[in-house]
Amino acid sequence: MNKLISLAMTAFLAAAASAQAEIIGDPEKGAKLWKDCKGCHQIGPDATNRIGPQLNGIFGRRAASIEGFKYSKSMT
């Protein structure tokens, strides 16, 4: 299961990095991508850790740095 979580995070981060590289974001494309992520992650002021950690402040944050979330060995 931890390998699955690691693979999902890697895919999410790759997609997020690609989207961040664009000068102007595409909200419709982002909403479609988020549908694949929201089953495991939350964002926003009331976000909590689920199967995956909450994603607030993900850009510029060190990987595997959410306190209280048990990351896989490959993420840490």
Side-chain angles (χ1 to χ4, degrees):
M1 182 65 132
N2 284 338
K3 286 185 180 183
L4 180 61
I5 292 170
S6 294
L7 289 172
M9 275 302 289
T10 301
F12 173 79
L13 292 174
S18 174
Q20 186 182 28
E22 293 181 29
I23 294 172
I24 298 175
D26 182 343
E28 290 180 18
K29 186 175 180 181
K32 288 179 185 176
L33 286 172
W34 178 245
K35 287 180 183 178
D36 294 336
C37 306
K38 68 181 183 178
C40 298
H41 301 280
Q42 291 185 343
I43 54 174
D46 296 323
T48 59
N49 295 330
R50 298 171 80 182
I51 293 171
Q54 57 86 7
L55 299 177
N56 293 328
I58 193 167
F59 296 107
R61 172 174 92 194
R62 183 180 172 151
S65 62
I66 296 292
E67 200 147 326
F69 184 79
K70 186 176 179 181
Y71 290 94
S72 66
K73 287 183 183 180
S74 60
M75 283 298 293
T76 57

